[in-house]
Amino acid sequence: MKKVILRAIEPEDLDVLYEIENDLDLWTVGYSNSPYSRYILHDYVANSQCDIYADRQLRLIVENEEGEVIGIADLNDFEPRHNRAEMGIVVRKGFRGEGYAKAMVMYLLDYARRIIHLHQLYVVIAEDNHQVLDMFRSIGFTGEKVLDDWLFDGQKYKKAVFLQFFL
């Protein structure tokens, strides 16, 4: 399995953050529907406490062994009372299909268990994204629920699949 390193977002990561947050292809699988300015992203980096309890989310930069930024890993919608959060990962173009996504998920699961002491993580994935669904299933995500008309791609609504992992 690929080795990845997760670290806090630094001001030097602004260009990568800008690239990912403004990638229109990713908007249909996330919650964004408008571009982010460099100013807003700079403000986020400057003001984030990198503390899931304070921010109710944790965004981490992911690097490969060569120190290249390969993506972003998120824990968001953190619910401290129930010890759960939604997991999100983005692998940058040029690094996709190389096994980094699975490595990112495995690292986040370990981090959520050992450091944050979460009870469960969950993901919501487009029903037609078979490759990603198969990856999460192979890791042990279960509890599959189909969410009708959950994602809107600008033309039509698509079903999504909810999966969870107990730590």
Side-chain angles (χ1 to χ4, degrees):
M1 182 177 343
K2 294 279 189 178
K3 182 173 172 143
V4 296
I5 299 146
L6 277 67
R7 63 168 175 77
I9 297 174
E10 299 287 348
E12 296 79 26
D13 299 315
L14 186 59
D15 288 338
V16 171
L17 205 55
Y18 185 82
E19 166 198 319
I20 290 171
E21 292 294 350
N22 291 301
D23 183 345
L24 293 174
D25 294 336
L26 298 174
W27 287 8
T28 61
V29 297
Y31 301 111
S32 243
N33 64 356
S34 61
Y36 283 90
S37 69
R38 288 185 189 280
Y39 176 80
I40 293 292
L41 293 171
H42 179 273
D43 191 51
Y44 169 78
V45 172
N47 293 308
S48 173
Q49 296 181 38
C50 292
D51 178 353
I52 196 165
Y53 289 94
D55 298 333
R56 294 292 193 253
Q57 69 173 350
L58 180 64
R59 304 198 80 198
L60 300 166
I61 292 292
V62 184
E63 294 181 345
N64 61 14
E65 289 184 287
E66 291 77 35
E68 299 169 297
V69 176
I70 60 160
I72 294 178
D74 291 328
L75 295 176
N76 55 60
D77 290 334
F78 171 57
E79 178 50 60
R81 180 175 182 193
H82 303 294
N83 288 318
R84 69 174 170 244
E86 181 177 11
M87 175 189 289
I89 61 168
V90 174
V91 178
R92 292 174 72 194
K93 293 175 184 172
F95 296 100
R96 294 179 185 161
E98 297 182 27
Y100 287 117
K102 188 170 187 173
M104 291 164 76
V105 171
M106 297 302 290
Y107 194 112
L108 264 181
L109 289 173
D110 184 59
Y111 183 85
R113 177 187 305 111
R114 288 186 319 103
I115 306 301
I116 306 174
H117 307 290
L118 293 182
H119 174 62
Q120 64 180 296
L121 292 174
Y122 65 92
V123 293
V124 177
I125 301 163
E127 186 182 50
D128 61 358
N129 195 343
H130 302 290
Q131 184 178 5
V132 172
L133 283 168
D134 289 344
M135 180 203 58
F136 277 100
R137 289 175 185 133
S138 76
I139 291 170
F141 278 74
T142 60
E144 195 163 312
K145 304 289 184 241
V146 175
L147 306 169
D148 291 328
D149 292 348
W150 198 258
L151 301 171
F152 185 64
D153 66 6
Q155 303 289 323
K156 63 184 181 311
Y157 287 94
K158 296 165 71 170
K159 292 180 181 181
V161 177
F162 173 94
L163 294 166
Q164 63 191 131
F165 189 95
F166 292 97
L167 300 161

